[in-house]
């Protein structure tokens, strides 16, 4: 149910803005929470990059004043030079991410290349590598048997793609 804690999480529904921020802050205070964590991925909050700039950044800045904040950067920004709309959107997404990271007390990522990139963003603290476990269960496989079945030699390199949704459709079409 809305506003009710379940499994340690509480949902504060609504559009990010002054009223929502006030409700969120009140709930954080009422529960005695002294640290806020945001797992960031672009477009999770809005398809409108400017809304992220306008609303999410204001909210994060406000929360960072009253308590420590941690930003977990799951995905960053999507920008490819051969698609002008992607290049423009990705440039805005990266700028928004840089601002979120700059306003955060702690920044974590599961990607070492991203951690290295963010280290050059002039953040107050160095970003921390935080490996994220897979939600795909580890299953033992007989490597030799599989190589024999698929005629894969010891010198062959095997690449595996785990994906879904639009990424899977993209992979299948290329």
């Amino acid at each position: 149910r809305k506003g009710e804690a379940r499994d340690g999480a509480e949902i504060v529904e609504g559009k990010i803005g002054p009223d929502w921020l006030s409700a969120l802050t009140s709930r954080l205070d009422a529960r005695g929470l002294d640290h806020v964590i945001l797992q960031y991925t672009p477009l999770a909050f809005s398809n409108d990059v400017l809304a992220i700039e306008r609303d999410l950044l204001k909210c994060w800045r406000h929360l960072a004043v009253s308590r420590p904040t941690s930003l977990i950067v799951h995905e960053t920004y999507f920008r490819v030079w051969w698609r002008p709309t992607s290049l423009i959107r990705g440039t805005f997404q990266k700028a928004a991410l840089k601002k979120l990271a700059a306003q955060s007390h702690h920044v974590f990522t599961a990607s070492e290349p991203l951690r290295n990139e963010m280290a050059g963003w002039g953040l107050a603290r160095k970003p921390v590598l935080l490996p994220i476990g897979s939600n795909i269960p580890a299953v033992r496989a007989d490597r030799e048997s599989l190589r024999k079945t698929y005629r894969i030699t010891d010198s062959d390199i095997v690449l595996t793609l785990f994906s879904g949704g639009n990424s899977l459709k993209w992979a299948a079409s290329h």
Side-chain angles (χ1 to χ4, degrees):
R1 292 187 344 190
K2 186 190 316 186
E4 200 171 288
R6 188 176 356 157
D7 298 327
E10 184 174 342
I11 298 171
V12 181
E13 292 186 36
K15 182 173 170 46
I16 295 176
D19 293 339
W20 179 86
L21 187 56
S22 177
L24 175 64
T25 304
S26 295
R27 293 225 180 114
L28 292 172
D29 292 343
R31 293 192 65 190
L33 300 177
D34 59 359
H35 198 110
V36 179
I37 301 170
L38 173 66
Q39 183 168 341
Y40 176 79
T41 186
L43 307 181
F45 303 96
S46 172
N47 285 331
D48 179 358
V49 178
L50 296 177
I52 292 173
E53 175 81 24
R54 182 185 64 240
D55 300 328
L56 183 59
L57 287 170
K58 284 181 184 176
C59 173
W60 196 241
R61 188 177 318 116
H62 174 82
L63 292 172
V65 169
S66 60
R67 55 191 40 90
T69 56
S70 290
L71 179 68
I72 300 174
V73 182
H74 178 65
E75 293 176 353
T76 56
Y77 49 90
F78 303 104
R79 182 170 64 180
V80 293
W81 61 268
W82 62 86
R83 288 225 169 126
T85 54
S86 170
L87 183 61
I88 293 166
R89 175 178 276 179
T91 300
F92 279 107
Q93 288 172 340
K94 183 175 182 178
L97 175 58
K98 281 183 166 184
K99 289 177 183 177
L100 277 172
Q103 294 171 3
S104 301
H105 294 93
H106 307 279
V107 178
F108 301 92
T109 183
S111 161
E112 191 162 359
L114 179 56
R115 179 188 62 172
N116 295 339
E117 178 185 341
M118 291 189 306
W121 289 0
L123 304 177
R125 291 189 172 108
K126 289 183 180 181
V128 175
L129 187 64
L130 179 68
I132 298 174
S134 173
N135 60 357
I136 300 171
V139 177
R140 286 242 186 259
D142 182 350
R143 180 179 175 205
E144 296 305 317
S145 173
L146 289 170
R147 282 186 170 272
K148 187 176 180 179
T149 300
Y150 293 103
R151 297 184 182 133
I152 301 170
T153 69
D154 286 337
S155 62
D156 289 335
I157 297 172
V158 177
L159 298 176
T160 304
L161 172 68
F162 292 98
S163 185
N166 290 332
S167 299
L168 189 57
K169 290 176 193 169
W170 179 87
S173 69
H174 287 76

